[in-house]
Amino acid sequence: MSDKPETKQFEPTIIGFTCNWCSYRAADMAGTARMKYAPNVRLIRLMCSGRLDPMFVFKAFAGGADAVLISGCHPGDCHYINQNYKAMRRFQLMKRVLAQLGIEPARLKLLWASAAEGAIFASEITKFVEEVRALGPLNFNATGFENQPKVEHKEVPA
Amino acid sequence: MEKKEKIGVYVCHCGTNIAGVVNVGEVSTWAAENLKDQGVVIARDYKFMCSSLGQELIQKDIKELGLTRVVVAACSPHLHEATFRNACKGADLNPYLCELVSIREQSSWVHTDKVAATEKAKALISGGVSRVVHHEALEPLHVPIHPATLVVGGGIAGIQAAIEIADAGFQVYLVEREPSIGGHMAQFDKTFTTLDCSACILTPKMVQAGNHPNITLLTYSEVEKVDGYVGNFVVSIRKRARSVNEKDCTGCGICWEKCPKKVVDNVYEVGMGTRKAVYVPFPQAVPKYPVIDRENCTYYIKGTCKACEKFCPTNAINFAQEDEILNIEVGNVILATGYDAFDAHRITQYGYGRLANVFTSLEFERLSNAAGPTGGNIVMRDGKTTPKVVGIVHCVGSRDKNYNEYCSAICCMQSLKFAHLVHERTGAEVYNFYIDIRTPAKGYEEFYHRLLEEGTHFVRGKVAEISDAVRLPGEEGKLIIQVEDTLTGNQLRVPVDMAILSAGLEPRADAKEVAKKFGISCSADGWLIERHPKLDPVSTVTEGIYIAGCVQGPKDIPASVVQGAAAAARILGKIQQKEVLLEPVRASVNQDQCSGCRICNNVCPFNAILFHEDTMVSEVNPALCQGCGTCVAACPAGAISGTGFSNLQILSQIDGLLMLNIPRKEAVV
Amino acid sequence: MKEYAYFPGCSLEKMAVSYHQSTLETTKKLGIKLKELEDWNCCGATTYFYIDELLAYTLCARNLAIAEKTGLDVVAPCSACYKNMFFTAAHLKTDADLAEHVNFALEEDNLQYNGGVNVKHLIEVFAHDLTPEEIKSKVTHPLEGVRVAPYYGCQIVRPQKGKEDVEQPQFFEGILEAIGATPVNYPLKMRCCGGSLIISSRTAALTMVRNLLKSAVDSQAQVIATACPMCQVNLEVYQQQVNLEFGTDFNFPVMYFTQLIGLAFGIPPKKLGIGKEFVAVLPSLVPAGKK
Amino acid sequence: MTDTLSFNQEISNLLYAAEGEPLQTCIQCGTCSGTCPVAPFMDYSPRQIIALINAGNKEAVLESNTFWYCASCYHCTVRCPQEINITELMYALKRYSIWKSQHQEGLIGPTFSEAFVKMIVRGGRSFEPILAPSYIFSFNLRELLTEVTGATELLLKGRLPILPARIKRLENFKRMIGRIIPMGGLE
């Protein structure tokens, strides 16, 4: 890409979803405390991780994201009682679907971060970026599956 | 799209906070050129968007260019969303048509690579622009505020808050777990630095709280459940059975005089004294009614005795009394549940519990209290010997990563107070073992100087251990405090008769549960988190829930009183407004699309979704809906939409965020 | 039947041979099988770490690799061996880089270590893997009325290895109670004996030994029980040097805890290596032995 | 870059990564020195050694006996309120001192350590009689005599071996060590 300097390493693009109460505030806290992390994640604020429609995740992959981060309050700390458990279940299902689509499930990460855990939020993002960098660019494009290598259809245990 | 929106993009420098890392000029030029198709008609960058000049810039553009949407790229929406919404409102643009993009907390402050940070800022703005197109004009929800307030915790912070609100003419429920209000302050003998008698300054306040016509005192009670939201909380309170009818009891004291069962008092007397099975914790207790401790009462154990009932002149004893559940409505809540003293048993090398003459700070408070078990005589564990040498150990359980990393803030002053009392009452030689002396408040340093003048020994060094391992002449029968005097570099063995451990403060053992019950968060060590550590220390991220006193972090009496009063002032301000405006983030069901599957009915944590049996569709009750959006994500028919966070808004935002990537993807494939 | 890989360590070959003998005798009685590691090497005490850290880890890893082949937990009776092996195993488990370096060297002896060994101190076998009832069931000559000072020393519990109390543990007392003895409250039970200093910093070490002996005498103990050959040698063999240096007159028996257990089990003293000590142990135990 | 490392950084680099908190977090509370059973014999207390390292006073640190007097009892380490692994720091200082061949004159520790390790490298196991003379000869007669008295008695009690112990696969063992350090350095 022309407006970017020549980089030796692959810089993944990651879409991140946060809830309004814990994980977005963890990001705020990482900011106020000037903690440094990799610039590859672009965050979208939802009210709750329970709002996360799986469609959003697939849309992000289809649109060119190399990975997706989902973050919310710790189990038991949800601002809306227990909606983050729903996010957790959807996360498991989405990983299976991704596997069937031939996308490495490791490209989807779930991260619990309380409003006080800016440091964890920052370090986990940097870690995730490294992991995605190791996986390489997502070989998948929005126009369809024609260019995809044949995916072996494996039964995913329930 | 039928109608083309006109969008203005405003990039804030935030001085150098953003501009120092993100090339703001490049970003605004880029937005003006590349986001035209999305509807951007103007993009500007400015030094401080939140300043009045910055806001006027937006308002001028709205009026002159006819902007229909505004995107501000600046700090976190949790800081300035309201500011820019108000600016829009001032120019007659619906405030909900404004979107704030955080390029400070999420870019300039957390990245060092200027090129990458600038690119990320562009992507975030692109996302914001794509999203704002689909914003709808909304009106905030107006909710009336219930004028009553719940104060949880009857220590000095809670008492202060309750009195302030009650004096202003509003109803307060003051809930306390113990049989009497007063808290830890009621256990103390003297208070630093003025050495006022703690009871002398506290008792009048307790009485005032007890007699106040606007205060409903609920002692021996605990909050069970909290429902609702700011302005309209419904709280269930368990009022434990006292086994005494309050309306008959006169507090005459005959029952506890006649009760044959002595019990070691582990709460008020911290194990140093006894009380009866029917008791008031201390003579000045408020309310004056006793409670029967059913775990220890002979009648509840063996079925006979009833001495209290026999002697009670007003027939107030009621063995059959049961717990009562009260449901109250309040508009605001103050949590002032205080602290637990650090359990000194945990530092085994200090010998507490193993070596008789090692005392904790609370034990010493009782020992020196004229109303305490020794009548204020500072004596050793045998109850008669006056110590000749006393060692006071600072930082017990504080400033130590093995226990608590934080400084407990009060221990230095508490230790100095102890040193003074020991010196004054026994004439004993006193050693203070400290790491640093911290006296940062009015009159505190002067108190330290007074102690220096009194001849108290100060040894700079954290005590390594206290033992009875006698080795040298003169050590027989003494406790040996082993420490490095770090100012001389010598390892010392200081023989003392009595050691006092100045224990730190810890969050209440159940602080995490309490926080959860009230929907707020705790820091990793368990203190409740305030909304802003400097600028908003008594409110929390949950509207309507305030914190005061040690529940927020270790602090002394003056600071607790300040917080209690501050929280009260904040609430009085809210009550005066009579209503509160809520974010109109709510879900709604498009009844034409609803298939009546009822999946949403079960996912809703607030039971806000009703199913109409007749029309076979579901409906969201906006009064109960909290806007989490789980039902929106769960609806298989896509019939539910959430204002402010609709599918269209989020999907468009994803597109926007990824806009910059499409060329690279093509290059890869 | 319980079975362990057994790493005796250099001291038990000669200097602390009575520890070795009493260990074998008492475990045999309890139905525990100890399988000595084949061709083990010295753990290096503390000294390897003075010279080269990687070398130190490699030498311990060689023993761990040999133990791994047996599939058993490895037991070390010496505190220094135990501490070295425990932390080598812990670091190799979490540090892949270190494991790679170490395994590269182990190739020369046709060994590999995959991180699968649990390291235990001999006293843990008695304190945690056996119940007090199991020990009690073998006691024929309870050491009634014998006041024993349990000496933990340093490296059994320090540095912290799990969740146990590092300042006032009680498991040694539990074993002594199981054999009928009276453990005395002994304030210096966790203090270092200076074993690793006896050669390099003699005065310091002798002072530490003197303090320990005085504390034991003051607590009216009749015998010190140890679970480490370094401690035993230091506290017992160097008593004469302490007396010379400080003008004291200590003549205080220091025994291995396995010897005390052996006596309670009715094993003949000779089989427990009793007779090789500098300070006669039997007189103080005679009243108990007769009961 | 290597020549710009401060003394503090050099020492920190010698600590095993898992040993945690760097020395600059020391709050100089003196818990280590108050705890240390050997502190009265040290030139500088452990706390002072950390202060000297942080101040970059390399000469004073290397010329002190402090780390050679550490008994490795880990009492300071379990009590340190900043969770600094002081015992490992003392090991690191010993390694640094041997590496730079700089230590206080007259100390037995450095020579003894080298002799001990050489012995193990040669035979795979430690053997006290060889050991004792090889280091004590270079020091004073009185200590030699006291050691010999003790040794003779141990020998009579059958607690000292006559022949040095060796492991069976000694050649493999030596090659194994060769992969870690050049044998010339210790042989």
Side-chain angles (χ1 to χ4, degrees), chain C residues 5-127:
Chain C
Y6 177 54
F7 175 81
C10 306
S11 302
L12 271 75
E13 288 204 296
K14 275 290 178 183
M15 184 85 94
V17 66
S18 45
Y19 194 12
H20 186 56
Q21 290 169 333
S22 54
T23 299
L24 296 182
E25 289 295 330
T26 47
T27 49
K28 195 167 81 188
K29 195 104 181 171
L30 285 158
I32 294 169
K33 200 170 163 193
L34 295 182
K35 199 173 160 193
E36 185 168 330
L37 287 186
E38 155 272 330
D39 204 34
W40 52 268
N41 57 270
C42 173
C43 81
T46 47
T47 323
Y48 279 9
F49 287 91
Y50 300 0
I51 306 286
D52 189 291
E53 210 176 11
L54 187 55
L55 175 67
Y57 288 130
T58 307
L59 295 178
C60 282
R62 182 174 177 273
N63 293 326
L64 290 171
I66 295 171
E68 196 169 40
K69 289 203 276 186
T70 67
L72 301 169
D73 290 354
V74 64
V75 166
C78 165
S79 303
C81 303
Y82 164 61
K83 178 234 130 193
N84 283 342
M85 289 171 74
F86 183 94
F87 282 101
T88 302
H91 290 335
L92 287 174
K93 215 171 206 168
T94 52
D95 186 340
D97 201 43
L98 178 68
E100 200 179 319
H101 276 85
V102 163
N103 276 324
F104 171 70
L106 290 180
E107 276 174 16
E108 287 287 1
D109 197 24
N110 307 316
L111 291 168
Q112 284 292 289
Y113 180 61
N114 303 312
V117 175
N118 284 324
V119 181
K120 289 185 170 172
H121 191 283
L122 179 67
I123 198 165
E124 288 185 289
V125 171
F126 284 86

Side-chain angles (χ1 to χ4, degrees), chain C residues 85-216:
Chain C
M85 289 171 74
F86 183 94
F87 282 101
T88 302
H91 290 335
L92 287 174
K93 215 171 206 168
T94 52
D95 186 340
D97 201 43
L98 178 68
E100 200 179 319
H101 276 85
V102 163
N103 276 324
F104 171 70
L106 290 180
E107 276 174 16
E108 287 287 1
D109 197 24
N110 307 316
L111 291 168
Q112 284 292 289
Y113 180 61
N114 303 312
V117 175
N118 284 324
V119 181
K120 289 185 170 172
H121 191 283
L122 179 67
I123 198 165
E124 288 185 289
V125 171
F126 284 86
H128 304 319
D129 295 2
L130 292 168
T131 63
E133 287 66 36
E134 282 175 278
I135 297 175
K136 269 182 208 157
S137 70
K138 305 285 178 209
V139 173
T140 55
H141 298 68
L143 307 185
E144 268 165 39
V146 180
R147 294 176 57 83
V148 185
Y151 179 57
Y152 288 81
C154 20
Q155 298 182 344
I156 297 180
V157 290
R158 288 194 306 264
Q160 192 141 26
K161 297 175 181 76
K163 284 185 217 140
E164 85 283 17
D165 184 352
V166 293
E167 295 283 353
Q168 285 292 329
Q170 293 295 324
F171 59 84
F172 206 148
E173 281 85 341
I175 296 175
L176 296 176
E177 277 163 6
I179 58 170
T182 310
V184 300
N185 184 9
Y186 166 48
L188 295 191
K189 70 181 186 181
M190 306 307 296
R191 275 272 151 164
C192 177
C193 70
S196 65
L197 297 179
I198 197 74
I199 285 157
S200 56
S201 321
R202 192 181 185 83
T203 319
L206 291 180
T207 309
M208 290 152 83
V209 173
R210 180 204 52 183
N211 293 346
L212 283 168
L213 291 171
K214 176 166 172 18
S215 181

